[in-house]
Amino acid sequence: MHLTDEERRMLAGEEGEAVRLSMQILTRLGDAYGAERLTPVSSVHAGCAYPNMSVAVEMMERFAALGGRFRVLPTVNPVMTPGNFDRFPDCREPEELKKAATRQINAILEMGAIPSWSCTPYMQGNLPRAGECVVWVESSAIVFANSVLGARSNRNTIPVDIAAAIAGRAPEDGLLLDENRAGDALVRLEFMPESMFNYNTLGFIIGKKCAGKIPVIEGLPRWTTANQLKVMGAAAATKGGIALYHAVGITPEALTREQAFRGRTPEFESVIQERDMRAGIEDLNTHKGGRIDAVLVGCPHPSVSEIGELAGLLKGKTIREDTRFCLFASADAIALARQMGFVKIMEDSGVRLFEGGCILTHPIRAWGWKNVATNSGKYACTLPSDPYYLNVLYTDTRGCVEAATAR
Ligand code: F3S
């Protein structure tokens, strides 16, 4: 791998042990992937390990103890923050888990992270322009960065993002390179998606049909919103490991089908019709009856308009005492929702707000939940499998409210 003189000095430890260790990680990774050089990165979105992943917690503490300081200030993914400990009397977190979560938060803040605790960093000012190379962790954010913003990120892991934030560089490989961003599968829509629920389901189907590929989607309406693309990408990334898609006429590298494929012929073509959507909803619905223990809304973190829609549906209703209704959202979206009166409506109904949180960082298996409802394609993909094993009622936001309020 070719290194500049400055990078050689960094690797030799002239800028301290944390920089040396970061460079060692990045150059070994680059060698493994055949990268020719490192490239400067302008933005990092860092992951926080689920706090029981003690190796990752220790790794962050080690970087901090070695004097690691971020030269690219990272936003940070949701984590179990102290404000979200023990939110329900019968659903508490073990003391050692809370300690590990707190240790992790302290270490990453000591190195200079922005405490954004959200999976939508592009809504918190971490907004790279088209063509910028970034190191993001969090599959839903990566697919948004690559596809909707036209920025360039690989699917990274936690040590790599921390190392990249300290060194300000990443191996130039994979999706950072032009030649690896061409579409390789064509997906034609023969129906018109309208609701957020449609886009969640569509993402799941695209992920299933095009796992590991770069789909080129034809037929999305030109008024498709960023929020709709957000939920579609999140489900596609979870179901099929999609890190980049092109939507013809909508995303920046796909003004035309030809531009999206960059002269390549699609490996295959797939059509999605209404009936595929119905089958997708059935696939995601693993709830076979029985009381809903919890309703989980806010994956990926919602905009204030999505929160407003939820508040409108909840107004004047009361959540049943035996159902926990959890909303996950960033601090700034909640602050705006509070000013607009949405938070009061939701709290009066009995909703619990998990500011900067995500249910996947909590020990839900130990809480004995069996059935949950969600409007999120990503949660519906994730929660039935290891280590959660939950049955999921996959429904739209109105269905989630009905599941929690029906007597
Ligand atoms: Fe965000 Fe958690 Fe969903 S990190 S995308 S709310 S799984």
Side-chain angles (χ1 to χ4, degrees), residues 50 77-78 118-120 138 140-141 234 298-301 328 357-361 376 378-379 382:
Y50 301 156
N77 221 37
S118 178
C119 41
T120 55
E138 166 53 44
S140 70
C299 167
H301 278 180
F328 306 93
C358 168
I359 201 63
L360 303 190
T361 66
S376 160
K378 175 166 180 176
Y379 268 166
T382 308

Side-chain angles (χ1 to χ4, degrees), residues 22 25-26 29 44 59 63 135 137 155-166 169-171:
S22 300
I25 290 171
L26 297 171
L29 187 73
V44 174
M59 182 271 300
F63 270 119
V135 176
V137 166
R155 277 169 67 106
N156 299 289
T157 54
I158 289 175
V160 176
D161 63 350
I162 300 296
I166 291 173
R169 291 159 166 76

Side-chain angles (χ1 to χ4, degrees), residues 3-204:
L3 298 182
T4 64
D5 290 345
E6 183 192 7
E7 288 164 352
R8 284 182 198 288
R9 287 194 295 274
M10 291 164 78
L11 186 57
E14 289 185 22
E15 293 191 22
E17 183 56 16
V19 173
R20 189 201 63 73
L21 187 57
S22 300
M23 288 294 287
Q24 190 179 49
I25 290 171
L26 297 171
T27 51
R28 287 197 181 166
L29 187 73
D31 283 338
Y33 282 103
E36 288 180 11
R37 59 182 159 253
L38 298 173
T39 187
V41 294
S42 58
S43 155
V44 174
H45 179 63
C48 270
Y50 301 156
N52 54 356
M53 289 167 64
S54 57
V55 173
V57 176
E58 283 164 19
M59 182 271 300
M60 282 198 207
E61 287 185 326
R62 183 168 173 215
F63 270 119
L66 291 173
R69 293 297 175 268
F70 299 137
R71 64 182 81 193
V72 179
L73 293 190
T75 44
V76 195
N77 221 37
V79 67
M80 195 171 67
T81 55
N84 291 329
F85 292 164
D86 301 334
R87 294 303 307 280
F88 301 103
D90 55 340
C91 304
R92 295 175 176 275
E93 285 77 27
E95 286 309 310
E96 68 273 18
L97 203 59
K98 291 191 261 192
K99 276 191 201 137
T102 307
R103 280 170 51 197
Q104 177 174 218
I105 289 168
N106 290 343
I108 200 161
L109 292 183
E110 189 182 334
M111 291 188 279
I114 299 165
S116 56
W117 316 125
S118 178
C119 41
T120 55
Y122 42 89
M123 293 196 209
Q124 280 93 45
N126 189 349
L127 190 63
R129 63 164 175 75
E132 267 184 74
C133 290
V134 304
V135 176
W136 283 17
V137 166
E138 166 53 44
S139 63
S140 70
I142 292 164
V143 70
F144 191 94
N146 276 316
S147 312
V148 182
L149 303 179
R152 298 179 172 206
S153 178
N154 286 314
R155 277 169 67 106
N156 299 289
T157 54
I158 289 175
V160 176
D161 63 350
I162 300 296
I166 291 173
R169 291 159 166 76
E172 191 178 52
D173 63 358
L175 291 175
L176 305 196
L177 295 169
D178 268 354
E179 60 264 32
N180 297 328
R181 296 178 67 85
D184 43 28
L186 178 64
V187 177
R188 281 198 299 106
L189 305 191
E190 289 190 350
F191 77 104
M192 184 70 78
E194 284 167 2
S195 63
M196 291 289 275
F197 190 57
N198 281 169
Y199 278 88
N200 270 286
T201 310
L202 183 57
F204 167 75

Side-chain angles (χ1 to χ4, degrees), residues 359-404:
I359 201 63
L360 303 190
T361 66
H362 292 260
I364 41 182
R365 187 81 187 132
W367 293 346
W369 293 0
K370 289 192 172 57
N371 301 311
V372 296
T374 186
N375 59 356
S376 160
K378 175 166 180 176
Y379 268 166
C381 282
T382 308
L383 291 167
S385 50
D386 182 58
Y388 309 104
Y389 302 110
L390 293 172
N391 303 314
V392 173
L393 171 64
Y394 172 60
T395 179
D396 60 9
T397 309
R398 183 179 295 278
C400 284
V401 169
E402 281 167 10

